[in-house]
Amino acid sequence: MDQYLPYTLFWAGSSLEFTFTGEELHLIFEADFDQIEPWIAIELNGAFLLRMPLERGTTQVCLFRGMTTGIPRHVRVFKETQPITGDPRHCLAVKALRGTGGDFRPVPPRPLFLEFVGDSLTSGEGLAGGREENDWVSPLFRASQSWARQTADLLEADFCAVSQSGWGVCSGWDGDLHHAVPRWYAETRPLRDREPDAVIINLGTNDTSAIEAGLGSGSIERFEEAALAFLEQLRLAHPAARLVWAYGMLGDSLRPQLERAVWRFGDACYLPLPPVNEETMGSRQHPGPLCHQAAAETTAEFLKTIL
């Protein structure tokens, strides 16, 4: 039987999950890109099964065949890579599910729903590949293992993420004012049937680079005001959600400004995250798996106290 969707996977870490009871399952993807191809990761019953890039056009992936029929199997498909700035053709969709010998069933919603807003840390940049790898290529993204996804798993929560490498609160790392997440948040945040119980923001790392280099119109004072304005924007978008600004995986020089912005807002929390070190570094001079695990554990334990 075929299940036609299509289901677009846009942000890094976006996923499709379902249960299938048949003996054979194929997933049909539609992808396009100009420079950097999208990667996917697929899990079966919570265990990693495969990870691969997708070529332009239609790709059919046989996930399994010869399975015992009648047994529900949980399938989860993740987009590992983020939408690519400067590549308007970059897109990925699950076009159809093709199964034999069984039927498709939805997965019941989990008790909590979390939204993460961030940059390369939330996109999972540097979570694949060795420490010596520094090329900006899609195989080095692994959003399915990011601190955001791990936090959600620890709390048995559904999650979504809005994240873009190099972007910040006021500008990108290079001072580009167009690369500010708040500027595009309202237009691009995932549309869901339920409101998040908490929104966790991890932004500021790229603003630091721009401010220290004197790029754009960035300044410490402007950053604090922009962080405060973004909290106000998020409160309007999510009236009942707990707002948490988590920061510190890759430097925390803007911590005083973030703590002041949170204090001035009065309806949010500041959460310091464990910093990366030589042992927990991944590729592209970004936090690796151990740093992401520590950040997830810290975040999950904190969220337990406020949710």
Side-chain angles (χ1 to χ4, degrees), residues 30-33 37-38 53-59:
E30 190 77 30
D32 197 7
F33 59 92
E37 74 280 358
L54 294 173
E55 296 296 330
R56 298 180 183 91
T58 301
T59 302

Side-chain angles (χ1 to χ4, degrees), residues 6-218:
Y7 186 85
T8 299
L9 301 175
F10 184 72
W11 292 110
S14 56
S15 66
L16 170 68
E17 58 180 322
F18 57 91
T19 297
F20 181 61
T21 62
E23 62 178 354
E24 184 170 335
L25 177 63
H26 296 248
L27 288 80
I28 301 172
F29 296 92
E30 190 77 30
D32 197 7
F33 59 92
D34 183 34
Q35 302 171 21
I36 299 178
E37 74 280 358
W39 279 63
I40 58 167
I42 302 180
E43 298 174 357
L44 180 62
N45 291 331
F48 171 75
L49 196 61
L50 67 86
R51 185 171 181 268
M52 62 181 288
L54 294 173
E55 296 296 330
R56 298 180 183 91
T58 301
T59 302
Q60 180 167 313
V61 177
C62 178
L63 195 60
F64 57 76
R65 61 165 55 93
M67 292 289 204
T68 303
T69 59
I71 299 176
R73 294 181 175 87
H74 178 222
V75 178
R76 197 166 188 183
V77 183
F78 287 93
K79 187 183 184 205
E80 293 279 71
T81 46
Q82 63 182 21
I84 305 301
T85 304
D87 189 351
R89 290 176 55 188
H90 184 97
C91 62
L92 171 63
V94 184
K95 188 176 180 180
L97 309 174
R98 181 164 295 160
T100 58
D103 57 8
F104 295 98
R105 302 174 183 175
V107 176
R110 296 174 177 88
L112 292 174
F113 176 41
L114 308 176
E115 178 175 296
F116 294 83
V117 183
D119 48 32
S120 58
L121 303 174
T122 303
S123 289
E125 182 175 349
L127 273 174
R131 295 182 187 177
E132 71 280 3
E133 301 293 349
N134 278 307
D135 290 320
W136 204 90
V137 292
S138 53
L140 301 183
F141 283 81
R142 198 168 188 189
S144 66
Q145 300 301 310
S146 73
W147 71 285
R149 190 275 168 95
Q150 291 189 54
T151 298
D153 282 0
L154 289 170
L155 295 174
E156 299 182 355
D158 287 319
F159 84 102
C160 67
V162 175
S163 60
Q164 193 73 346
S165 294
W167 288 36
V169 179
C170 295
S171 73
W173 66 273
D174 55 357
D176 191 328
L177 300 179
H178 292 283
H179 296 167
V181 174
R183 178 172 183 163
W184 304 102
Y185 176 79
E187 297 181 38
T188 61
R189 67 184 179 94
L191 298 177
R192 294 291 185 108
D193 293 334
R194 60 191 295 196
E195 281 294 302
D197 297 284
V199 178
I200 304 96
I201 312 105
N202 187 349
L203 287 170
T205 302
N206 293 300
D207 295 274
T208 300
S209 300
I211 291 170
E212 291 179 349
L215 300 172
S217 59

